[in-house]
Each structure stands twice: as C-alpha cells, then as structure tokens.
Amino acid sequence: MDQRRIPVKRSTVTALLIIALTTSCATLTGSDPGARSPGVIIDDEGIERVAKRDIKRSDPRFKSAHLVIVSHKGIVLLAGQVESDDLIGKAQEVVEGLAKVRRVHNELTAGGSTGYTSRSSDAWVTSKVKTAMAAHEAVDSDRINVTTVDSVVYLMGSVTREQADFAVAVAQTIEGIKRIVKVFEYTD
C-alpha cells in the first residue's frame, strides 16, 4: 500500500477553516437573542481578567480576598469574601469603571475567606447542578452559567423567564445549597 502524503495547499486549509468557523459562529448566534457571539465571549473573558487584576491592584487588602468574578454579556457577578465592608464598595467601583460592563451584581461579603474544604464543596455543588440541568430536557443548560460560592448558587445567562424558572427548579433538587440567586437577563 502506498503511503505517500498528498500535498494540500495552505490556502485551501485556511479557506476550509474559515468556512468551518463562519458556519459554527452562525449556528452559535443565529437569531437567538440568548446566544453569545464569539466576540462577546472574548469580551466577557477580558472583563473577568481585567476586573480581577484591577481590583487586586486597587488596595493591598484584596490580596487575601476570595474573589469570584463572572461576566455574561457585560453583566458582572462579584462574589466571595473580602476583609471589610469598604472593600465591597471599592470592588464594585472598580468593575463599574471597566469598558463593556453594563451592570454589576455585587454579592461580596465581609469576613474571613473560605477555605479549601468549602471551595471543594462549592465545586461539587456546581458540578451537580450543571449535570442535573444537562439531563433535564426543559433546560437549555448551554445558556446558563452556574457558579457556587459558600454554598450559594448563582445562575446567570440570557434566557426566557420560563427557562429561568426551570433552571431554578432543577437547582432546588440539589442538596447542599443555602440559596439560589438569579442573575439572569431575560429575553422575553
């Protein structure tokens, strides 16, 4: 059997990649108001990265903080623990000043930072909620971000009110949750 390589022009490979990416991007966004385009996803990741960096630079007391920052279409969730009440407001001010941030949902609390055991438990709760949502046929789990901090589950995304209600109902079936906070942007 002849195992020679077939030469492929680099321009052909590039063209195929562009077609594949363009097609998948169209499928991702389409006319669905809840979908995030690849550009919005990149913007959200940038907001999260810059927010964490700028908050920590704004005051040395943030170095001991447990900060969880999640952005979805420019709506930012701040969660975790900081040393004092004044740092809660300071973190929000920093994030509100960032480009492309539309709204800040501040759930930071003042007090000691959670430890490894608590954070491991939070990760486990998040996994259980995501798994339950993925298994539930009425929930479009791809549209919902699940974040757990100190046994509080935060649900974010651009969904219909019905989808939000289904997501909350599914999350309520999971043990180990203190409360559920909806940070949804409604599409209806």
Side-chain angles (χ1 to χ4, degrees), residues 64-66 80-85 88 108-114:
S64 64
H66 173 227
Q81 301 81 31
V82 294
E83 184 178 300
S84 63
D85 287 330
I88 294 171
L108 289 170
T109 58
S113 188
T114 57

Side-chain angles (χ1 to χ4, degrees), residues 115-130:
Y116 176 76
T117 303
S118 177
R119 292 180 197 175
S120 295
S121 176
D122 289 343
W124 178 238
V125 168
T126 296
S127 294
K128 291 191 296 185
V129 171
K130 286 180 175 182

Side-chain angles (χ1 to χ4, degrees), residues 6-112:
I6 300 171
V8 178
K9 289 184 179 181
R10 209 175 270 230
S11 60
T12 304
V13 172
T14 303
L16 290 173
L17 283 172
I18 289 171
I19 291 168
L21 288 173
T22 305
T23 305
S24 65
C25 289
T27 304
L28 278 175
T29 58
S31 62
D32 183 353
R36 289 190 307 166
S37 69
V40 171
I41 292 169
I42 290 168
D43 287 346
D44 283 334
E45 290 170 354
I47 288 169
E48 292 169 6
R49 191 174 46 259
V50 170
K52 189 167 238 177
R53 181 198 67 202
D54 288 0
I55 288 171
K56 290 195 178 222
R57 286 182 179 173
S58 72
D59 192 305
R61 296 176 293 165
F62 280 117
K63 293 203 184 322
S64 64
H66 173 227
L67 295 174
V68 176
I69 302 169
V70 182
S71 180
H72 183 87
K73 288 187 168 184
I75 298 172
V76 179
L77 167 68
L78 291 176
Q81 301 81 31
V82 294
E83 184 178 300
S84 63
D85 287 330
D86 67 308
L87 291 179
I88 294 171
K90 189 169 204 158
Q92 182 159 341
E93 284 177 29
V94 169
V95 176
E96 285 174 339
L98 297 178
K100 300 191 180 184
V101 170
R102 297 188 301 131
R103 190 171 71 228
V104 177
H105 190 87
N106 192 341
E107 290 285 327
L108 289 170
T109 58

Side-chain angles (χ1 to χ4, degrees), residues 154-169:
Y154 301 93
L155 302 175
M156 295 180 77
S158 297
V159 296
T160 64
R161 292 179 194 283
E162 182 181 49
Q163 277 289 302
D165 291 342
F166 283 133
V168 169

